[in-house]
Amino acid sequence: MTLAAAAGTAAHATTTTAAAGTHGFLSPTGVEIAFLLVGLVTFGAAVITVTTRQLVHAALWLVVALGGLAVEYLLLTAEFIAWVQVLIYVGSVVVLLLFGLMLTRAPIGRSPDADSGNRPVALAVALAAAGTLVWVVTDAFRTTWIDLDGAPAGSTDVTGASLFQHWVLPFEALSVLLLAALVGAIVLSRKAKADAASDAADTRRDTEGTR
Amino acid sequence: MHLAYPAVLSALLFCTGLYGVLARRNAILVLMSVELMLNAVNLNLVAFDVWLSRTAEDTLHSGQALALFTIAIAAAEIGIGLAIVLAVYRNRGTSDIDKLRDTAEGHEPDGPDSDTTGRAVPGSRTAGEKAEATA
């Protein structure tokens, strides 16, 4: 074990080939089996999200897909990203989507027109893209293994240090972008309300004029 | 862990989101599919960052930093997108993106009923909007 680690640190260029000798396709580790099972759940939930005809169920299956992705991040030892995923996606984005569904008066039951007419074309495009991407990715990374032993690669300590040492300027720019998005969302919703009020006043004036 | 597992899962999730964007009719369902695509990209970023942080001597953890930035931008995008969808719903009474064909060029492929109603209503709305903008 120490010999393999020493060899790995000595020759970084040959790490993947050396690792390929110790790993096998037909002997998956426990982490790989867990990743595969959670990945199947995630993918199934994503498929149900884009195919179900009940709009609220789509949002709830999206919770399952995003939570499964958070578990995948945990299995990849990226803890901080996993909890950020849980907080932001499962906590706020899905709640926002549910609010949007309710504010646009989405039907509760099955809605027959959830899918548009170009469904076969979309299916063909998605299947072609999936086939191409999966083929290219498996062909490119056939002999590449992630080393998950040792300290976690994405603990809060590591992520915070790299974020505030090397990525401070993008971080601050992102805070400005979030502020702009906040103001933009408020302006958009306020303007719509003012429009509705002025339109109501216009129609009232019009009807009074015709009378 | 084999790198193909997260890469293949990310590709499949991205294509699921692609199908949803192309096939869905409700604007909020399209936004959900966009979220799926963004999450697929995040999984790729995290997986490759974990792989490269082990093989490289010194790392900036650029993958995880970019994943955090993508999550923040996705949160901003969903807020703005929902505000736009709600504004469209208030103005048009629908969040059906197949019926929002005001900027479509050429012949009108949809029926005459949507043509008449879709013409009359936006005309008055844009007129009112212009009047308010000049006032």
Side-chain angles (χ1 to χ4, degrees), chain A residues 32 52 89 142 146 149 151, chain B residues 1-2 23-24 35 54-55:
Chain A
E32 282 179 334
T52 182
Y89 273 109
R142 209 174 4 180
I146 306 176
D149 297 331
Chain B
M1 185 192 296
H2 202 287
R24 287 300 205 177
E35 290 300 314
R54 296 309 169 128
T55 53

Side-chain angles (χ1 to χ4, degrees), chain B residues 20-38:
Chain B
V21 167
L22 291 178
R24 287 300 205 177
R25 186 174 273 177
N26 193 321
I28 296 179
L29 290 177
V30 172
L31 282 178
M32 284 186 206
S33 308
V34 170
E35 290 300 314
L36 274 180
M37 294 166 86
L38 286 167

